[in-house]
Amino acid sequence: MSRARVAFFLQLTVSIVLLALLARRVPLRDAGAAFRRVSPATLVAAISLAMVGYWGRARRWSLLLGRCGIPLSTWASYRLTLVGTFYGMMTPGRVGEFARVLHLRGPRPEMLASVVWDRVADIMILELLCIPAFVLEPAWRGPLLWAYLGLVAVTIAGVALLASPAAARFAGRVVPFLADIASRWGTSSRSLLQGGASAASFACGAFFYVFVYAAAWLLLRDLVPGRSERLLLGLPVIPLLGNMPVALGGLGLREHVSASVFRDLGADATTGAVFGFLIFVVSTLVPALLGLLLGTATWARGADKERAA
């Protein structure tokens, strides 16, 4: 059995175990009651807001590609960002999002650099958005805080490594046939860090999260009337810690994190788990399914090959 299959089954096993533990912690009857509190109109409105928000992520990737000398329209980027969301949903840590470059023709190192730094920017924005939660809510200064600080440390180390010309040269020496790719990666990364990872790129990322926050507030308004503003502080903690690469697509882990966030604020853990699942449906599952549709449609595939040369 290949390593990829072993990894897949290990992550699937972790997800199944986490879901089994969650089922013991969250009564199904209470979970059903929480789901029924969210009206269909709220769900449709939340999904619509999230889909608008994806325009910001798409625009950011267009900017990053442009810095690498690869023009791509925002509309084409929007379609491919949704396609990448589908790939990411099926992989741990959402690493499958990198596969969106396979839908483009052009220089692979430069395109891959744009996707990696696009993902890094997203993680950094989430980590920044988590700061108010840990500053204003003493209840979260326990295991969640330590997990967050560990992830921040990993991010800092990863950024330093990815941005290091010395690391690129070392990779080229260790694996000689990758020397040219490593050199082009280093050049693209320097270009992105000097201008691509600019205020405009982060503003586009912020645009996405403004709409996701609005969608989350609508869900919380139905789930926990009168307490939505305080619980909204925990929103960035859920995808940041819930997408750590230990469970398949974060399934099970995300709901545990969400339940812990709610419980630490004195809210119902069952409602927290339901919220974690609903925000996943709104901001990831529905966009991913639309991405799958666009990825398999002939007209979409033809449009995506516009240019990347």
Side-chain angles (χ1 to χ4, degrees):
M1 184 179 291
S2 66
R3 289 184 180 180
R5 288 188 178 182
V6 170
F8 174 84
F9 284 114
L10 285 175
Q11 291 144 15
L12 180 61
T13 300
V14 170
S15 287
I16 291 172
V17 170
L18 288 173
L19 288 173
L21 293 173
L22 187 67
R24 298 184 62 181
R25 180 182 179 187
V26 175
L28 293 180
R29 180 178 298 179
D30 294 346
F35 276 115
R36 288 192 293 273
R37 288 200 295 271
V38 179
S39 71
T42 294
L43 200 56
V44 170
I47 290 171
S48 300
L49 286 168
M51 296 308 301
V52 172
Y54 267 90
W55 195 260
R57 293 190 67 188
R59 181 57 186 159
R60 181 178 63 196
W61 190 34
S62 290
L63 290 173
L64 294 174
L65 281 169
R67 289 288 181 177
C68 295
I70 304 170
L72 186 69
S73 71
T74 304
W75 174 239
S77 177
Y78 184 82
R79 294 195 304 271
L80 291 182
T81 298
L82 295 180
V83 170
T85 300
F86 174 76
Y87 294 147
M89 185 181 68
M90 304 302 293
T91 54
R94 303 187 70 164
V95 296
E97 288 190 7
F98 301 158
R100 68 181 110 148
V101 301
L102 299 177
H103 291 255
L104 290 172
R105 293 188 301 264
R108 293 284 186 235
E110 288 78 1
M111 290 192 295
L112 184 59
S114 73
V115 177
V116 169
W117 287 109
D118 179 63
R119 183 69 182 133
V120 168
D122 215 39
I123 292 173
M124 292 175 65
I125 291 173
L126 275 175
E127 289 175 348
L128 290 172
L129 290 173
C130 285
I131 293 175
F134 291 112
V135 170
L136 299 175
E137 294 296 342
W140 287 336
R141 297 172 197 168
L144 285 177
L145 176 59
W146 287 110
Y148 165 74
L149 292 176
L151 191 56
V152 169
V154 170
T155 302
I156 293 172
V159 168
L161 185 64
L162 290 170
S164 171
R169 289 194 297 269
F170 177 75
R173 288 196 298 269
V174 172
V175 189
F177 72 89
L178 293 179
D180 179 60
I181 293 175
S183 175
R184 290 163 62 188
W185 165 275
T187 300
S188 298
S189 290
R190 285 193 296 275
S191 175
L192 289 172
L193 290 175
Q194 290 168 2
S198 61
S201 297
F202 278 91
C204 289
F207 179 91
F208 170 74
Y209 282 106
V210 164
F211 283 88
V212 171
Y213 266 81
W217 179 79
L218 290 178
L219 295 173
L220 287 170
R221 187 186 59 180
D222 284 7
L223 283 169
V224 196
R227 303 184 63 180
S228 56
E229 289 77 10
R230 187 179 179 215
L231 291 171
L232 202 58
L233 282 172
L235 176 62
V237 179
I238 296 169
L240 184 66
L241 300 183
N243 282 322
M244 290 192 292
V246 295
L248 187 62
L251 182 63
L253 178 60
R254 173 184 51 252
E255 287 74 23
H256 271 280
V257 170
S258 185
S260 296
V261 165
F262 274 54
R263 182 200 60 212
D264 289 344
L265 283 177
D268 182 30
T270 299
T271 304
V274 169
F275 172 73
F277 178 75
L278 285 176
I279 199 64
F280 163 73
V281 169
V282 164
S283 64
T284 302
L285 180 60
V286 172
L289 292 177
L290 180 56
L292 175 62
L293 176 63
L294 295 176
T296 55
T298 303
W299 63 268
R301 289 201 305 272
D304 289 339
K305 298 283 188 180
E306 295 177 5
R307 176 158 201 270

